[in-house]
Amino acid sequence: MYKVVMFNDDYTPMDFVVEVLEGIFNHSREQATKIMLAVHTEGQAVCGLYTRDVAETKAMQVNQYARECQHPLLCEIEKDG
């Protein structure tokens, strides 16, 4: 299994991060807000745990959508454990 990790930056609006977490990772507004705050305060947070293919796809979707919206938001995957 692979973790999708989101990294903090000083430019991406918090509302955009919540939108991404709801839209791409299917988190509730409450859970998306908690993850966004963890990214903001801790520098990074895990958005979800998936098989490698799904994790790669979700990270790519976040990165591509962020670029389209001109935000530097970044997601990467890491092997769990």
Side-chain angles (χ1 to χ4, degrees):
M1 296 297 281
Y2 287 79
K3 299 182 279 192
V4 180
V5 181
M6 184 177 285
F7 295 92
N8 189 44
D9 64 74
D10 295 331
Y11 304 101
T12 305
M14 292 180 179
D15 290 344
F16 182 81
V17 175
V18 171
E19 176 192 328
V20 165
L21 289 165
E22 288 177 323
I24 294 177
F25 296 96
N26 298 313
H27 289 300
S28 66
R29 172 64 53 109
E30 182 181 351
Q31 187 63 25
T33 302
K34 284 181 182 177
I35 295 169
M36 176 274 294
L37 288 171
V39 171
H40 181 68
T41 59
E42 299 167 28
Q44 67 183 56
V46 175
C47 302
L49 190 63
Y50 306 95
T51 61
R52 184 179 182 135
D53 286 349
V54 174
E56 285 176 343
T57 299
K58 291 202 180 274
M60 181 200 68
Q61 287 173 328
V62 170
N63 295 336
Q64 185 174 0
Y65 182 56
R67 297 306 158 270
E68 287 171 6
C69 296
Q70 299 182 326
H71 296 301
L73 186 65
L74 179 65
C75 270
E76 294 180 354
I77 69 167
E78 297 176 1
K79 190 156 178 59
D80 188 40

